[in-house]
Amino acid sequence: MTELKMFLNPSFWSKAILVAAVTFFAACSDDDPSYGSLDSDGDGVANGQDAFPTNPAETADSDGDGIGDNADNCVNTGNGAQTDTDGDTVGDACDSSNAPDTYGDFASAFIEGESSISYTGQVARQMLILGLVDTMTSVTEGMDRATALSAMHDWVDGPTEDLSLAFYSPKGGEPVLNAATVTDISSGKNLDGKIAGGDGDGGGETSKLIDDEFFGWEEGVTSSAIPIEVVDYMIGKLADEVSDNVSVTVSTTDGDVTVDVSKYQTDAHGRNWRQLIQKFLLGAVTLSQATNDYLQQDFQNMLDQEKGTKAYGSGEHDWDEAFGYYGAARNGNEFTDDEAAGKTPGTGFPEARDAYKNGYNDANADGSIDPRSEVFLGISQNCAKRDRKDVDGDGVGETNLSKEAFDAFVLGRHVISEATTSGSMSDAQFAIVKAQAEIAGLAMEKCVAATVIHYINDVTTDAGSFADGKFADVSNFNDYTKHWGEMKGFALGLQFSPYSPFASGQGRSDLKTILAGMGDAPVMPDGTQGGVAYTGGVDAYLANLATYRTMLETAYGFDSAVVAAW
């Protein structure tokens, strides 16, 4: 009777039908031989043998990473993320030619057994700047003006075949390889033709100015002046100080003191011309040339052999030249920031190694130092100096601008080298090159901007020693005027890069405000700037500098604690 009631109950039949349906479909799953013989995606491979039965483009996954073999950039190595850093269609996990750790492993695609790296002209210009610095610090009071001008302009206007590098001795005293003169590094080089805006007389290579304008310095030049004219003016002012037979008188709390310009290169208004000129040139030559010239090239269509005879392609060479203006040693990643900067490590940092501690490394162990490949020069040194700052005391610098720049230069060069060897550069590879150019260029400028902030801090600290409208002592005068010259000189260089947050729009206006507010001279303890009373005196000037520091912090996205500590 009970069985009959169940048989006549409709719900019994509903459940029975459901169970039968589930059993039927289970029997037809892809585990069932009858289903496995089907070809759901019509790719000619039965579902039972197809790793992707609903994708006609894929049938197998050899490495089991979820990516079909036809789309997998590492067929036999699991790499679900499919990372391909250099864009050569071979995933990093199985790429035997990923980007190297150094800038030294790029073989020629044109001449077997030779390197394709070449940027000696840029090293020569780094040396020309250092040679000018040496001359500016060597001039003595009472020197004939024409003689002083000629000595300084030799380094700017060249080329001359007898510009000695005797002044250049690495900090540790090791011999320099084959570099008795600038010509030993590279012949026919000068600075004026490579200064942003050109040499002004049409006789040299004209370099670009963003929006065709230069701004930030007014004294002694016209409103349409280009950087070389400002450099010439500054050199002339230093020559004036040297030749006028008048020492600078500094008012200190201990009385008036005379200061010999042969040691300090500073005028009565507090302009340290040697610092202004050197730091301005680092922006107007090295930063400008790297970012607004060599990194701006159409690398996708520059795979031909340079001049038909060189060991490098034209794109390889332009990228190298940008790296040369950055100034790092080719094994830069092997250095700590303290070592690259040639500084004694701070508390908690690892000890500097003897082979690296002076800002260079004899990488090829030939017993001498090659400035073309083994030394940190120019902006790369400033990057390392800023990266050293440890705010939280953990023995690690808070920024890593040096590595950002260096790794971007290496990856971009690697992609260009691979493309030069293969004879073509894909759109994906070109996108990577352009991205690395921007990373490297912006990192270089961040190092300059961070250095401006560093000197704003120094100027502010120095001014804290003023008393009764006077300098505390001559040392206070020397520090304040030196740091102001460095601050202003570096700040002028922030207008030359197309990657800059100050390249256009409101950013451009902000930079003009910063440079105009810094002025063409510091505000002295008596409240004058360039001999004219400054509204609000020193306190107002320092308040303005604090505002500019915040503007720089915001523009570059710097951490406020690091900015305060720089």
Side-chain angles (χ1 to χ4, degrees):
M1 189 66 175
T2 300
E3 290 82 358
L4 178 60
K5 288 181 179 179
M6 290 176 59
F7 183 77
L8 295 174
N9 189 335
S11 65
F12 168 80
W13 288 106
S14 298
K15 293 178 181 178
I17 293 170
L18 177 60
V19 171
V22 170
T23 303
F24 172 79
F25 285 112
C28 294
S29 73
D30 58 359
D31 293 325
D32 184 79
S34 64
Y35 177 78
S37 64
L38 298 177
D39 180 10
S40 300
D41 56 14
D43 61 1
V45 179
N47 291 348
Q49 287 76 48
D50 195 337
F52 302 89
T54 60
N55 182 356
E58 296 289 357
T59 61
D61 180 11
S62 300
D63 55 16
D65 61 2
I67 309 296
D69 287 356
N70 292 331
D72 198 336
N73 60 20
C74 283
V75 175
N76 297 308
T77 303
N79 65 332
Q82 296 288 285
T83 304
D84 177 17
T85 304
D86 59 8
D88 62 358
T89 73
V90 180
D92 291 353
C94 61
D95 193 345
S96 61
S97 60
N98 285 321
D101 292 328
T102 72
Y103 202 89
D105 299 331
F106 302 113
S108 173
F110 305 102
I111 303 176
E112 188 173 353
E114 290 199 19
S115 169
S116 64
I117 300 174
S118 176
Y119 54 87
T120 55
Q122 288 60 50
V123 176
R125 292 188 180 92
Q126 299 272 16
M127 291 295 158
L128 287 170
I129 293 174
L130 293 177
L132 174 60
V133 170
D134 180 69
T135 297
M136 290 189 293
T137 57
S138 300
V139 293
T140 57
E141 183 68 56
M143 181 182 288
D144 175 71
R145 187 177 191 278
T147 301
L149 274 177
S150 177
M152 289 185 281
H153 274 291
D154 277 348
W155 297 99
V156 177
D157 304 336
T160 60
E161 300 302 315
D162 57 353
L163 287 176
S164 172
L165 292 183
F167 70 88
Y168 181 68
S169 177
K171 189 175 178 182
E174 283 80 357
V176 178
L177 176 67
N178 186 26
T181 68
V182 174
T183 298
D184 287 334
I185 295 175
S186 185
S187 62
K189 300 300 183 289
N190 58 36
L191 291 176
D192 66 346
K194 291 294 184 178
I195 294 175
D199 61 11
D201 62 8
E205 177 181 332
T206 299
S207 305
K208 299 173 183 176
L209 288 171
I210 295 176
D211 291 338
D212 235 4
E213 66 172 348
F214 170 73
F215 55 88
W217 186 273
E218 297 181 1
E219 182 182 289
V221 296
T222 67
S223 59
S224 60
I226 57 177
I228 183 60
E229 293 170 326
V230 175
V231 172
D232 287 344
Y233 174 76
M234 291 179 176
I235 289 175
K237 293 294 288 185
L238 179 51
D240 290 342
E241 292 301 316
V242 169
S243 61
D244 66 3
N245 285 307
V246 177
S247 295
V248 173
T249 300
V250 180
S251 294
T252 76
T253 55
D254 291 329
D256 291 347
V257 181
T258 58
V259 179
D260 187 349
V261 73
S262 68
K263 295 179 181 177
Y264 305 119
Q265 308 91 44
T266 305
D267 70 8
H269 295 309
R271 278 85 63 88
N272 184 311
W273 296 108
R274 163 261 198 272
Q275 294 292 348
L276 274 166
I277 294 166
Q278 178 191 11
K279 274 50 178 188
F280 181 36
L281 286 174
L282 286 175
V285 176
T286 63
L287 182 63
S288 171
Q289 283 287 300
T291 62
N292 203 20
D293 192 337
Y294 291 116
L295 291 178
Q296 295 295 311
Q297 302 305 312
D298 180 13
F299 294 101
Q300 192 171 26
N301 295 301
M302 298 175 66
L303 307 178
D304 54 304
Q305 185 177 15
E306 179 84 357
K307 298 181 179 178
T309 60
K310 300 296 185 180
Y312 43 82
S314 55
E316 291 178 310
H317 188 43
D318 275 24
W319 191 271
D320 286 347
E321 289 176 302
F323 179 75
Y325 279 126
Y326 174 51
R330 292 186 194 176
N331 61 336
N333 271 337
E334 297 177 8
F335 289 72
T336 67
D337 294 322
D338 292 316
E339 290 167 346
K343 299 290 186 179
T344 301
T347 303
F349 283 77
E351 281 298 313
R353 299 160 293 176
D354 286 344
Y356 295 83
K357 68 181 182 182
N358 293 312
Y360 58 80
N361 168 244
D362 184 12
N364 61 5
D366 66 354
S368 59
I369 304 303
D370 191 343
R372 290 158 286 204
S373 59
E374 297 177 333
V375 179
F376 276 81
L377 300 166
I379 288 176
S380 70
Q381 286 182 317
N382 293 107
C383 289
K385 290 176 182 178
R386 304 292 80 79
D387 286 341
R388 297 175 67 235
K389 182 56 67 176
D390 176 21
V391 175
D392 56 15
D394 63 355
V396 178
E398 309 306 327
T399 58
N400 213 355
L401 298 171
S402 299
K403 187 167 178 60
E404 284 181 28
F406 190 86
D407 286 352
F409 273 118
V410 170
L411 177 55
R413 182 57 162 85
H414 168 70
V415 175
I416 295 170
S417 180
E418 284 201 328
T420 301
T421 298
S422 68
S424 67
M425 180 183 290
S426 68
D427 290 343
Q429 287 176 303
F430 188 35
I432 290 171
V433 170
K434 289 191 291 185
Q436 300 315 301
E438 181 168 1
I439 292 169
L442 183 56
M444 284 181 68
E445 180 170 289
K446 282 182 176 180
C447 296
V448 174
T451 303
V452 175
I453 289 171
H454 168 72
Y455 287 118
I456 288 176
N457 291 342
D458 277 354
V459 166
T460 302
T461 299
D462 297 334
S465 296
F466 296 169
D468 300 325
K470 299 178 180 180
F471 289 100
D473 49 34
V474 172
S475 178
N476 185 205
F477 168 80
N478 292 336
D479 290 342
Y480 182 69
T481 57
K482 172 181 180 292
H483 294 151
W484 183 89
E486 292 175 293
M487 175 191 76
K488 177 70 176 191
F490 274 119
L492 285 167
L494 296 177
Q495 64 185 289
F496 298 124
S497 171
Y499 303 119
S500 174
F502 296 129
S504 62
Q506 183 59 47
R508 203 71 173 161
S509 297
D510 287 346
L511 182 59
K512 290 177 180 178
T513 297
I514 292 170
L515 291 174
M518 287 180 175
D520 293 346
V523 173
M524 302 295 269
D526 65 1
T528 62
Q529 183 181 51
V532 178
Y534 185 89
T535 303
V538 173
D539 289 343
Y541 187 63
L542 296 181
N544 288 336
L545 291 184
T547 298
Y548 306 150
R549 190 181 75 169
T550 299
M551 292 167 71
L552 293 168
E553 174 188 317
T554 301
Y556 294 98
F558 292 141
D559 181 85
S560 58
V562 177
V563 164
W566 268 331

